[in-house]
Amino acid sequence: MNLPRQRYEETFVLNLGPQHPATHGVLRIKVTMDGEYVIKAEPVLGYIHRMHEKIAEQGNFAQFMPYTARMDYLHALAFNHGYCLVVERAAGIEVPERAEYIRVITVELNRIASHLLWWAAFLLDLGGFTPLLYAFDDREQILDLLERTTGSRLTYCYFRFGGVCNDIDDEFISGTRTFIDRLRKRLPVMYHSLVTGNIILIKRIKDIGIISTEQCRRYGASGPVARGSGIDFDVRKHEPYSIYPELDFDIPVYNEGDSMARYMVRMDEIEQSLRIIEQALDKLPDGPIMAKVPKNLRPEAGTCYAAVETARGSLGHRLLCNGDRNPYRLKLRSPTFSNLSLFAEVAEGMMIADVLAFLGSLDLVIPEIDR
Amino acid sequence: MEATNKLHTTLLTLFGSLNEGAEDATAQNDNDATEARVATIPLDYSRSGANLEQHCRPEQLRTAAELLNTQHFLLESITGVDWPEKNQFEVLYDFIHYAVPQYRVLLRCTVSRDEAIVPSLCSIFSAADWHEREVYDLFGILFDGHPNLIRILLPEDADFYPLRKDYMP
């Protein structure tokens, strides 16, 4: 970028991680530096690799369900949803309408929690400690709501093939409505006035880490990374699933491609998720929350694919069945794996402090990359 | 919907050129019919999540990927599969399009387990770099032309390929 053209006479290698606080988890980046400029960045993965795809092959379909939440622990319900979708598609299971609504409400609540935590951690990377306390205050409300219904606060195992395992009650509904009002009041004041418009933040992330549209395509980027680079791509609209087609919401897209654009996409998405939840609560139908599903699924032989939009982008499952009780092969296409792969190309020539801001703006969850 | 249909027709024509001569090959060698199968199969999106499946031989893979690249597809994922009964590995490539909704193309390619080499798509899609390294890491399938084919998830000194069916932890 603004790197002076010269021969590098004295370079050194800097290891970011695997225990560096700015990498949020166990990502290691080998950076070759010339002074404060990055000449080459090389992410080294696998520090939290658990071979979930092999685990999936060894148990039956239902037994893999709890593992899905252990990948993206910030948006665990979306991983529940993605796995349910692909198995339901393979086995031809219809989900009752009420269950679809409950799925969307809980997934969107979880998406807001994920974005809030990203926001807090990102600003922490940039040196602002206070926002973390606001964001965790709001996130706590969501976790309490989800805990009532799902039974856990982080690694949910709430969805079942053909529905969900617990119905939501009136207290959950009124609590969610209270939360929507609360966050709507707090967003412009605590989040936007205090942080988004802050000149220090703007100086740190505006025009930093610009990703072009073509780069997004070459690397298969999705989620806020693609939408921050002017690509109108969201699986909820692109390959509609569940009841998303019946709900009215917008996909925020920013054309700048810098870290600020990705920041804005996520902030706008929080508002859109609130809209989705509100509509879903209004329309929530009565009825069963589970379809009649055989205990042991044996989908017929063949392959199918299903994608969902997580807080980080498009999560895909490719499932191959051979008519047996366990998946023959389950491939997880995790969004940050592709999003991180473009990091090396973009980081070249940046200053190390900017690289950390750029890295934060990608919203990485390492267990999901390493699987 | 119109854009989807148009793209579908274009792809059927483009892939048609790959299939030429394939029938002669199968007629000559009936035993290899499944192995060297080259065919374009339209799929039902609501059942399989994809619209088009193209089976190709390893040497055609780069041509097929080039065709998809000219149509501005993006490589979403690469899946390796082990079929020990047939003594084969299969590699599945998923492609989607940013601008055309509900459209997914699946390239399928089988190689012998004894000589598992597939051409690399790195020079066409940068995404292939990491995805191919992952397939190599977990199955031991080699990607010819990959600039940096080293393990990505497992430790560099691992001497096994965990997703092969004969590997038991």
Side-chain angles (χ1 to χ4, degrees), chain A residues 312-352:
Chain A
R312 273 149 281 282
S314 156
L315 162 74
H317 286 81
R318 178 156 285 289
L319 176 68
L320 281 97
C321 303
N322 61 347
D324 226 338
R325 274 160 54 169
N326 49 337
Y328 187 76
R329 169 91 171 94
L330 178 73
K331 156 84 185 177
L332 291 141
R333 186 263 182 214
S334 65
T336 18
F337 185 82
S338 300
N339 289 354
L340 178 65
S341 66
L342 55 73
F343 169 79
E345 191 176 303
V346 180
E348 229 166 86
M350 279 164 73
M351 287 183 86
I352 186 74

Side-chain angles (χ1 to χ4, degrees), chain B residues 83-114:
Chain B
W83 302 101
E85 294 88 24
K86 293 189 246 172
N87 196 33
Q88 279 178 342
F89 283 126
E90 186 171 16
V91 190
L92 288 82
Y93 298 78
D94 275 289
F95 292 88
I96 55 159
H97 202 291
Y98 277 144
V100 183
Q102 293 202 343
Y103 201 81
R104 186 179 302 278
V105 178
L106 176 62
L107 286 188
R108 301 180 77 154
C109 172
T110 45
V111 282
S112 158
R113 246 169 149 257
D114 308 321

Side-chain angles (χ1 to χ4, degrees), chain B residues 21-33:
Chain B
E23 279 165 29
D24 303 346
T26 35
Q28 279 171 11
N29 197 345
D30 272 345
N31 297 336
D32 285 353

Side-chain angles (χ1 to χ4, degrees), chain A residues 56-127:
Chain A
E57 288 174 15
Q58 291 180 330
N60 64 28
F61 283 91
Q63 279 175 325
F64 185 61
M65 202 64 214
Y67 289 99
T68 57
R70 268 77 185 170
M71 276 171 274
D72 186 346
Y73 52 85
L74 293 185
H75 200 187
L77 281 172
F79 270 64
N80 274 198
H81 202 174
Y83 181 56
C84 275
L85 272 189
V86 77
V87 175
E88 282 159 6
R89 182 169 268 170
I93 300 169
E94 290 280 332
V95 182
E97 214 186 356
R98 184 175 173 87
E100 292 280 26
Y101 274 85
I102 296 175
R103 281 182 177 186
V104 166
I105 293 168
T106 48
V107 161
E108 293 302 321
L109 274 175
N110 203 190
R111 186 188 313 275
I112 298 175
S114 169
H115 282 337
L116 287 177
L117 193 132
W118 163 80
W119 184 79
F122 180 50
L123 293 163
L124 202 58
D125 288 354
L126 301 176

